């Protein structure tokens, strides 16, 4: 593996569901510490301040550390764990998947289960099993055995999946690309910009609890008070069966994307065009995307105080919000290159022009 693959592997395989980001936060602090001065808000988001040629403008890069997961809600007398979801899960992708229960005594492995199909009526077999009918089985036969394993109500539960390079060596499969891919892009861009210099001051914010309501972005933007913000995300790749072009035209391997719209933010139009024009100047393929059913950390950031010019740049991912998402290396590398070029254009005059 090269350095980028090792970075993506380490970031995706570490655990960190919303509210329980300690492990991934420690890793992000290790990567960001050589790149600037670290600060942390009071709910766990980490911000790295990297000085440039001048103190202002203040440019905020944001990527969320948390991944979707679960929390133990109840232990049955037979030793099965009922759970609540942390972030958005489709019922269809859960059954039979392995998970890790994070306890104070260490990790406990389990599997998502439900009533066996052999015991369902023909009519029941036609229906999707809902999460409320599922449980996590850790191999226990009583509540006492669960307690002996160290599992308690409130323990976080993380998907069990590792990073894999696929038959096409430019495609990668792993959990948590949403949004560890943004975290990785932010780290690499900060590393290169530290050496190249930039006409502004950069703030790299690794935020918490995005998947349960963009909470870390809401607090970390107060710490940064930025003049411009660029949110780094995973996007939805629509190049799989049964998705119409008008529903999603973004394709994996055809370049990073820039969001025209999401459910809680329309980007600053001049900043959006700056991203698109820069990509054209570089010869960097760039896709445009709209996300009608979701939002990003840009939602609270762009409404900070009198408003912050904000845009979302992303890496397309197939099978998002599952145990195994897929990305393409060219899209990731393209995002990093484009991000660096845009940041180096954001001097005081350009930033003033964004809201003139």
């Amino acid at each position: 593996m090269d350095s980028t693959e090792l970075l993506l592997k380490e970031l995706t395989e570490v655990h960190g569901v919303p509210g329980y980001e300690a492990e991934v936060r420690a890793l992000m602090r290790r990567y960001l510490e050589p790149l600037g001065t670290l600060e942390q808000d009071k709910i766990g988001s980490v911000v790295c301040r990297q000085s440039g040629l001048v103190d202002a403008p203040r440019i905020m890069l944001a990527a969320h550390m948390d991944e979707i997961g679960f929390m133990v809600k109840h232990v049955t007398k037979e030793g099965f764990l009922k759970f609540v979801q942390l972030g958005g899960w489709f019922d269809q992708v859960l059954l039979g998947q392995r998970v890790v229960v994070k306890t104070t005594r260490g990790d406990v492995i389990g599997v998502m289960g439900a009533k066996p199909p052999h015991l369902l009526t023909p009519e029941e077999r036609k229906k999707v099993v809902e999460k409320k009918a599922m449980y996590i089985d850790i191999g226990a036969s009583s509540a006492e055995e669960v307690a002996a394993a160290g599992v308690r109500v409130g323990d976080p539960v993380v998907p069990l999946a590792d990073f894999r390079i696929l038959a096409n060596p430019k495609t990668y499969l792993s959990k948590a690309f949403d949004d560890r891919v943004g975290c990785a892009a932010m780290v690499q861009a900060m590393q290169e910009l530290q050496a190249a210099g930039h006409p502004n001051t950069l703030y790299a914010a690794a935020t918490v609890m995005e998947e349960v309501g963009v909470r870390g972005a809401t607090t970390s933007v107060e710490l940064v008070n930025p003049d411009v913000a660029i949110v780094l995300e995973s996007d939805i790749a629509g190049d799989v069966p049964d998705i119409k072009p008008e529903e999603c035209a973004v394709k994996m391997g055809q370049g990073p994307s820039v969001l025209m719209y999401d459910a809680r933010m329309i980007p600053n139009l001049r900043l959006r065009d700056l991203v698109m024009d820069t990509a054209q100047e570089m010869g960097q393929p760039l896709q445009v995307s709209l996300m009608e059913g979701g939002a990003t950390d840009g939602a609270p950031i762009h409404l900070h105080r009198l408003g912050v010019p904000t845009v979302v740049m992303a890496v397309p991912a197939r099978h998002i919000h599952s145990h195994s998402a897929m990305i393409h290396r060219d899209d990731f590398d393209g995002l990093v290159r484009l991000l660096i070029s845009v940041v180096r254009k954001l001097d005081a005059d350009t930033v003033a022009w964004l809201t003139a």
Side-chain angles (χ1 to χ4, degrees):
M1 291 186 181
D2 65 16
S3 59
T4 295
E5 290 164 346
L6 289 170
L7 173 64
L8 288 167
K9 175 179 171 63
E10 193 169 16
L11 280 172
T12 54
E13 289 186 346
V14 73
H15 296 158
V17 299
Y20 299 85
E21 294 96 347
E23 290 182 37
V24 64
R25 176 168 52 247
L27 182 58
M28 284 298 291
R29 289 184 70 95
R30 175 161 65 81
Y31 278 122
L32 292 172
E33 191 170 20
L35 304 177
T37 303
L38 296 189
E39 298 179 81
Q40 189 167 314
D41 68 20
K42 294 183 179 181
I43 64 170
S45 297
V46 175
V47 176
C48 176
R49 180 185 186 275
Q50 184 181 95
S51 298
L53 301 177
V54 291
D55 291 337
R58 301 158 70 96
I59 312 300
M60 181 178 186
L61 310 180
H64 67 90
M65 294 183 286
D66 58 312
E67 62 186 296
I68 56 172
F70 312 92
M71 181 194 294
V72 177
K73 173 184 177 182
H74 174 72
V75 179
T76 72
K77 63 180 181 180
E78 298 84 8
F80 298 102
L81 313 181
K82 303 296 283 186
F83 58 87
V84 294
Q85 65 183 34
L86 298 175
W89 284 96
F90 289 115
D91 297 341
Q92 295 96 318
V93 304
L94 291 178
L95 282 180
Q97 296 286 358
R98 297 181 184 184
V99 294
V100 180
V101 184
K102 308 289 292 182
T103 82
T104 55
R105 301 185 198 171
D107 292 351
V108 174
I109 307 300
V111 63
M112 292 280 192
K115 189 176 181 180
H118 313 74
L119 303 181
L120 299 176
T121 66
E123 191 61 33
E124 287 175 325
R125 292 181 192 179
K126 298 177 183 178
K127 299 178 181 179
V128 173
V129 179
E130 297 182 359
K131 283 184 285 289
K132 63 183 180 182
M134 299 180 194
Y135 52 80
I136 297 170
D137 186 352
I138 64 167
S141 297
S142 67
E144 290 74 21
E145 287 187 27
V146 171
V151 176
R152 302 182 298 180
V153 170
D155 283 344
V157 181
V158 184
L160 178 56
D162 56 0
F163 176 89
R164 295 281 179 163
I165 300 173
L166 301 181
N168 176 348
K170 286 191 173 185
T171 54
Y172 307 143
L173 189 73
S174 187
K175 73 173 182 66
F177 277 132
D178 183 9
D179 180 34
R180 307 289 168 70
V181 70
C183 292
M186 186 167 67
V187 167
Q188 283 203 343
M190 292 284 284
Q191 289 171 339
E192 296 194 34
L193 285 163
Q194 184 182 46
H198 41 92
N200 43 51
T201 296
L202 270 181
Y203 293 80
T207 67
V208 298
M209 293 187 278
E210 189 267 0
E211 296 289 1
V212 291
V214 294
R215 300 176 189 179
T218 304
T219 52
S220 59
V221 72
E222 292 286 342
L223 191 157
V224 176
N225 190 26
D227 298 301
V228 174
I230 302 173
V231 177
L232 305 170
E233 263 288 2
S234 61
D235 197 2
I236 298 167
D239 56 344
V240 297
D242 299 323
I243 295 181
K244 300 175 182 177
E246 61 267 30
E247 293 175 320
C248 181
V250 174
K251 300 181 186 301
M252 190 180 75
Q254 300 299 308
S257 62
V258 58
L259 267 64
M260 301 287 106
Y261 169 91
D262 67 44
R264 291 185 58 187
M265 190 187 82
I266 295 171
N268 174 278
L269 301 185
R270 289 183 174 178
L271 180 57
R272 179 204 68 185
D273 289 348
L274 179 66
V275 171
M276 297 175 73
D277 292 345
T278 302
Q280 187 173 26
E281 292 167 7
M282 296 171 58
Q284 169 61 54
L286 180 67
Q287 304 182 80
V288 296
S289 177
L290 292 88
M291 185 168 59
E292 297 179 58
T296 73
D297 276 344
I301 292 172
H302 88 289
L303 296 178
H304 174 66
R305 297 191 180 181
L306 297 180
V308 178
T310 303
V311 71
V312 178
M313 299 166 60
V315 172
R318 293 178 183 167
H319 320 302
I320 197 170
H321 278 220
S322 74
H323 278 60
S324 299
M326 187 184 299
I327 67 166
H328 195 285
R329 175 64 178 269
D330 289 349
D331 300 336
F332 177 82
D333 289 345
L335 174 64
V336 173
R337 287 193 300 267
L338 179 57
L339 174 61
I340 291 168
S341 294
V342 170
V343 167
R344 297 193 72 188
K345 286 186 174 183
L346 291 173
D347 58 18
D349 289 341
T350 300
V351 170
W353 168 78
L354 295 177
T355 55

